[in-house]
Amino acid sequence: MSDSKNISIKDVAKHANVSTATVSHVINGTRFVSEDTKRKVHQAMNDLNYRINFVARSLRSRKSYVIAFLAPILASETSNYFFMSVAAGIQSVLKQNHYHLVLSDSHEEAEYEADEIRMLGSQMIDGLIMAPASRELDYEHLFGDYPVVYLDRVPNNSNRDCVVVDNKTVSKEAVQMLIGKGHKRIAYLSGPNTLTTTEERVAGYLEALSEAGIEAESDLISIGEVSLDSGYKLTESLMRHEPTAIFVTDNVMAMGVMFYMQEKKISVPEQIAVVAYDEFQWTRITSPPLTVIEQPAFELGVKAAEVMLERIDNAGSPRQEHRLTANLVVRQSS
Amino acid sequence: MSDSKNISIKDVAKHANVSTATVSHVINGTRFVSEDTKRKVHQAMNDLNYRINFVARSLRSRKSYVIAFLAPILASETSNYFFMSVAAGIQSVLKQNHYHLVLSDSHEEAEYEADEIRMLGSQMIDGLIMAPASRELDYEHLFGDYPVVYLDRVPNNSNRDCVVVDNKTVSKEAVQMLIGKGHKRIAYLSGPNTLTTTEERVAGYLEALSEAGIEAESDLISIGEVSLDSGYKLTESLMRHEPTAIFVTDNVMAMGVMFYMQEKKISVPEQIAVVAYDEFQWTRITSPPLTVIEQPAFELGVKAAEVMLERIDNAGSPRQEHRLTANLVVRQSS
DNA sequence: ATGAAAGCGCTAACAT
DNA sequence: ATGTTAGCGCTTTCAT
């Protein structure tokens, strides 16, 4: 299909009666070329249907203009808008700067993740933005010679740039709101503890409780796998300890929670209040519409991309750490 | 960070006292090398922390082992699990075959899409799987010298391989189900008509109507932009014509429909029945749980990737066209 | 069983 | 204002 022979800069040069250097400079605008010559070159490129070989360019110039974003984006059951919105944010700034975004999926599993980092290899990308699957892994030995910006989560002892959400403050705020409405038995449900985000959210929860003089009960704290099923089952156990409210910090698990309430005909918020995380859209039309914590996903991506571009520009500049504010959206489930 | 100098195959060769050819052959297992030499080479690679330069390899071998998937995946408001699941399917087979997946976003806009195709350039990818933003565009002149497989949608007059869903049959089935329950005034709501999928869905709708002897009314057919807002507004207009059921073929627009019903306190399915498309998960916990058409998204991806790999293997084999079956999941909204 | 060397398509230093 | 050419790191043909 189309032209099977590959036209190179050399062919263009010959066809336009100029040197390859001139063609290259016309393409890149990297030194003066007379209008006349420019025209000839463009003509030739058109005639031959020339298309630049990015691989060759990148090999030679040691610059690919490609940034990779590695996160758990594809995970099958999980419907992760969050990272998709982040990706959209990243892309919006990369595009303006003529960078290209490559999305890479970690499956939220260390092994997949390491695999992907290796595949990214060296020279293929100019930078990596990643949401690590665990804070306990040592990633440094996997990375190539490009800058890395951590997003949403940070591994222990990292001294890389990072852009995260202030999970603790907003979680505390959510729990305080619940307490303000008179709740004393507030359950906490979340995904695995290997994530910094989980840790911060539980910290906010505990702090709100302790400041209100409410003693935390381990029976009311449930940490498990991220899936609708697991959300459902964990809710079942949690309910045996008679919470009057439940704070679930993952949107997929939240589906499990709501599914349970619906099935058992437990009315929300009359019998139990629910506060969830993420998923701004669908939770508007659940029954009742859910009170949720809305993370600044797009902005997170924008910031991370900006930090990355600055880092590429200036490898020696001081480490940046940004902590964006999330938003408690009170609807009818609490 | 890490080693700032880039170790090449040359360095490894020198360190192991062998030729670059031998190192290359050890890496690729592409000709016999004695165990002893192998060991030396591996040792050297380890000592120097050598990492292969995929760019150089790809320039030389004219093979990148990268397949791109271009679809409207990031579109901000839209929460497109559908294409994410497709991507997961693609990745699952690529991974097994040591291919790498690059996700590329079209924003569902012709211009963005063309941009992305150009960025993919030539030599960078070994193949492109895409869900075109419009069936009316001519993509051929944008493509490089790699195979293309269309997914979910097909441009007019394409003679490329494609993998799509049988939208007509399942849409007809959905409408027949509605008719079977006594509905005569069934509204149709969908995204823009420039997509083959829309065309097929409306065709199924019309055929079911006509076979049941019900005359189609243009007032009951609404085609608009894909967004919650547009879904809401279009529902508002549609309701003036007093439908007893509404078939909405886009999950984002479906949110608009349900939001409208909720706000106007119109009870589903008592006052109006609703059948939606996609979004298997969240629609389980809407009120009431939605009857939906579930597309085989993951399988679509798997199939497309398989077709792609076969095509790469054999450029001359006959064109493949696969049409997968979607599934009507009857829940409580109809 | 291994080595030497050409060359993929491009950029950029060095010429003129 | 433009041309010559080395070389990025790899694969692979042709030798030995």
Side-chain angles (χ1 to χ4, degrees):
Chain A
M1 351 227 149
S2 61
D3 341 79
S4 72
K5 219 238 164 243
N6 263 298
I7 307 303
S8 82
I9 219 173
K10 218 166 163 177
D11 302 313
V12 175
K14 195 178 302 172
H15 193 268
N17 270 311
V18 295
S19 71
T20 59
T22 298
V23 176
S24 172
H25 285 117
V26 167
I27 292 171
N28 300 299
T30 172
R31 86 174 175 196
F32 185 90
V33 178
S34 73
E35 282 309 314
D36 208 50
T37 313
K38 265 188 200 161
R39 205 160 338 144
K40 279 196 302 182
V41 171
H42 280 125
Q43 187 59 250
M45 294 200 298
N46 254 331
D47 290 354
L48 303 176
N49 189 24
Y50 169 77
R51 33 193 78 243
I52 192 163
N53 184 323
F54 291 109
V55 173
R57 164 188 283 182
S58 151
L59 174 60
R60 174 61 225 229
S61 64
R62 326 196 115 271
K63 186 111 178 71
S64 64
Y65 286 93
V66 171
I67 302 293
F69 176 45
L70 177 54
I73 24 182
L74 259 38
S76 54
E77 185 188 359
T78 332
S79 32
N80 227 333
Y81 305 117
F82 174 66
F83 286 115
M84 282 291 98
S85 306
V86 170
I90 295 175
Q91 208 194 30
S92 75
V93 354
L94 291 192
K95 199 155 193 110
Q96 283 180 309
N97 292 274
H98 302 104
Y99 273 78
H100 199 49
L101 174 63
V102 159
L103 259 29
S104 217
D105 180 40
S106 71
H107 268 57
E108 198 75 276
E109 273 170 45
E111 203 189 323
Y112 263 83
E113 194 177 41
D115 247 42
E116 290 297 307
I117 298 177
R118 272 187 291 264
M119 289 225 58
L120 264 12
S122 45
Q123 308 301 321
M124 258 189 111
I125 58 173
D126 288 350
L128 171 64
I129 299 175
M130 81 179 273
S134 165
R135 65 162 184 252
E136 285 155 2
L137 263 27
D138 176 27
Y139 291 101
E140 290 301 325
H141 68 109
L142 292 171
F143 296 146
D145 187 28
Y146 42 74
V148 175
V149 173
Y150 286 115
L151 183 141
D152 187 51
R153 315 154 174 182
V154 186
N156 295 334
N157 315 318
S158 154
N159 62 342
R160 301 276 191 173
D161 297 317
C162 70
V163 179
V164 298
V165 172
D166 185 350
N167 282 288
K168 189 176 165 189
T169 304
V170 74
S171 294
K172 185 172 170 182
E173 185 190 345
V175 176
Q176 281 174 330
M177 179 271 286
L178 255 10
I179 293 171
K181 295 197 176 184
H183 293 280
K184 298 217 167 354
R185 300 190 58 74
I186 303 171
Y188 175 89
L189 178 54
S190 87
N193 215 354
T194 51
L195 268 26
T196 30
T197 48
T198 301
E199 190 177 49
E200 288 179 30
R201 289 167 198 183
V202 78
Y205 163 82
L206 292 174
E207 197 167 296
L209 249 41
S210 113
E211 285 185 11
I214 300 174
E215 201 164 340
E217 267 180 57
S218 64
D219 284 341
L220 288 179
I221 298 179
S222 191
I223 286 183
E225 190 201 323
V226 171
S227 75
L228 195 153
D229 248 39
S230 133
Y232 182 97
K233 285 183 186 133
L234 262 20
T235 303
E236 197 158 34
S237 326
L238 242 23
M239 291 304 280
R240 281 200 281 276
H241 302 282
E242 307 186 332
T244 63
I246 180 162
F247 177 36
V248 49
T249 67
D250 177 276
N251 80 84
V252 177
M253 295 179 93
M255 287 195 279
V257 172
M258 292 308 283
F259 196 63
Y260 178 89
M261 301 306 168
Q262 219 167 67
E263 215 178 79
K264 304 296 182 194
K265 306 229 185 297
I266 299 173
S267 70
V268 179
E270 291 76 12
Q271 293 179 263
I272 190 157
V274 176
V275 176
Y277 230 94
D278 287 335
E279 190 37 79
F280 187 71
Q281 292 285 3
W282 277 99
T283 51
R284 287 171 70 178
I285 57 166
T286 51
S287 155
L290 282 177
T291 292
V292 293
I293 286 174
E294 186 190 14
Q295 298 193 82
F298 190 89
E299 293 74 17
L300 213 58
V302 166
K303 197 40 143 184
E306 285 171 355
V307 170
M308 175 57 77
L309 262 22
E310 282 171 42
R311 171 65 56 218
I312 287 175
D313 234 50
N314 181 359
S317 64
R319 169 168 184 265
Q320 292 190 48
E321 182 177 335
H322 297 272
R323 189 167 292 267
L324 309 191
T325 303
N327 203 4
L328 177 64
V329 180
V330 179
R331 291 196 289 226
Q332 289 138 55
S333 68
S334 66
Chain B
M1 350 227 149
S2 60
D3 343 80
S4 73
K5 220 241 164 238
N6 262 297
I7 307 302
S8 82
I9 218 173
K10 217 166 164 179
D11 302 312
V12 175
K14 196 177 303 171
H15 193 268
N17 269 312
V18 295
S19 72
T20 59
T22 297
V23 176
S24 172
H25 285 118
V26 168
I27 292 171
N28 300 298
T30 171
R31 86 174 174 198
F32 184 90
V33 179
S34 73
E35 283 308 315
D36 208 51
T37 314
K38 266 188 199 160
R39 205 162 335 142
K40 279 195 303 183
V41 171
H42 279 125
Q43 185 60 250
M45 294 199 298
N46 253 332
D47 290 356
L48 303 175
N49 188 24
Y50 168 76
R51 32 193 81 241
I52 193 163
N53 184 325
F54 291 109
V55 172
R57 164 188 284 182
S58 152
L59 174 60
R60 174 60 226 233
S61 64
R62 325 195 117 272
K63 186 110 178 73
S64 65
Y65 286 93
V66 172
I67 303 293
F69 177 45
L70 177 54
I73 24 181
L74 258 39
S76 53
E77 185 187 356
T78 332
S79 32
N80 227 331
Y81 305 117
F82 174 67
F83 286 115
M84 281 292 98
S85 305
V86 171
I90 295 175
Q91 208 194 30
S92 75
V93 355
L94 291 191
K95 199 154 193 111
Q96 283 180 310
N97 292 274
H98 302 104
Y99 274 78
H100 199 47
L101 175 63
V102 159
L103 260 28
S104 217
D105 180 41
S106 71
H107 267 58
E108 198 75 276
E109 274 171 45
E111 203 189 323
Y112 263 84
E113 195 177 41
D115 248 43
E116 290 297 306
I117 298 177
R118 272 188 290 265
M119 288 224 60
L120 264 12
S122 46
Q123 308 301 321
M124 258 189 111
I125 59 173
D126 289 350
L128 171 63
I129 299 175
M130 81 179 274
S134 165
R135 65 161 185 253
E136 286 154 3
L137 262 29
D138 176 26
Y139 291 102
E140 289 302 325
H141 69 107
L142 291 171
F143 296 146
D145 187 29
Y146 42 75
V148 175
V149 173
Y150 286 116
L151 183 140
D152 187 51
R153 316 154 175 183
V154 186
N156 294 334
N157 315 317
S158 155
N159 62 343
R160 301 277 191 172
D161 298 316
C162 69
V163 179
V164 297
V165 171
D166 185 350
N167 283 287
K168 189 177 165 189
T169 304
V170 74
S171 294
K172 185 173 169 182
E173 185 189 344
V175 176
Q176 281 173 332
M177 180 271 288
L178 255 10
I179 293 172
K181 295 198 176 185
H183 293 281
K184 298 216 168 354
R185 300 190 59 72
I186 303 170
Y188 175 89
L189 178 54
S190 86
N193 215 353
T194 52
L195 268 26
T196 31
T197 47
T198 301
E199 191 178 48
E200 288 179 30
R201 289 167 198 182
V202 78
Y205 164 81
L206 291 174
E207 198 168 296
L209 251 40
S210 114
E211 283 185 13
I214 300 174
E215 202 165 339
E217 266 180 59
S218 64
D219 284 342
L220 288 179
I221 298 179
S222 191
I223 285 184
E225 189 201 324
V226 171
S227 76
L228 195 153
D229 247 39
S230 133
Y232 182 97
K233 285 183 186 133
L234 263 19
T235 303
E236 197 159 34
S237 326
L238 241 23
M239 291 304 280
R240 282 200 281 274
H241 303 282
E242 307 187 333
T244 64
I246 181 163
F247 177 36
V248 49
T249 67
D250 178 276
N251 80 83
V252 177
M253 295 178 92
M255 287 196 280
V257 172
M258 293 307 283
F259 197 63
Y260 179 89
M261 301 305 167
Q262 219 168 66
E263 215 177 80
K264 304 295 182 195
K265 306 228 185 296
I266 298 174
S267 69
V268 179
E270 291 77 12
Q271 294 179 262
I272 190 157
V274 176
V275 176
Y277 230 94
D278 287 335
E279 188 36 78
F280 188 72
Q281 292 285 2
W282 277 99
T283 52
R284 289 171 69 177
I285 57 166
T286 50
S287 156
L290 282 176
T291 292
V292 293
I293 287 175
E294 186 190 13
Q295 299 193 80
F298 191 89
E299 294 73 18
L300 214 58
V302 167
K303 197 40 143 181
E306 286 171 356
V307 170
M308 174 57 77
L309 262 21
E310 283 171 42
R311 171 65 57 219
I312 287 174
D313 234 50
N314 181 0
S317 64
R319 170 169 184 265
Q320 293 190 49
E321 182 177 334
H322 297 272
R323 189 167 292 268
L324 308 192
T325 303
N327 202 6
L328 178 65
V329 181
V330 179
R331 292 195 288 226
Q332 290 138 56
S333 68
S334 66

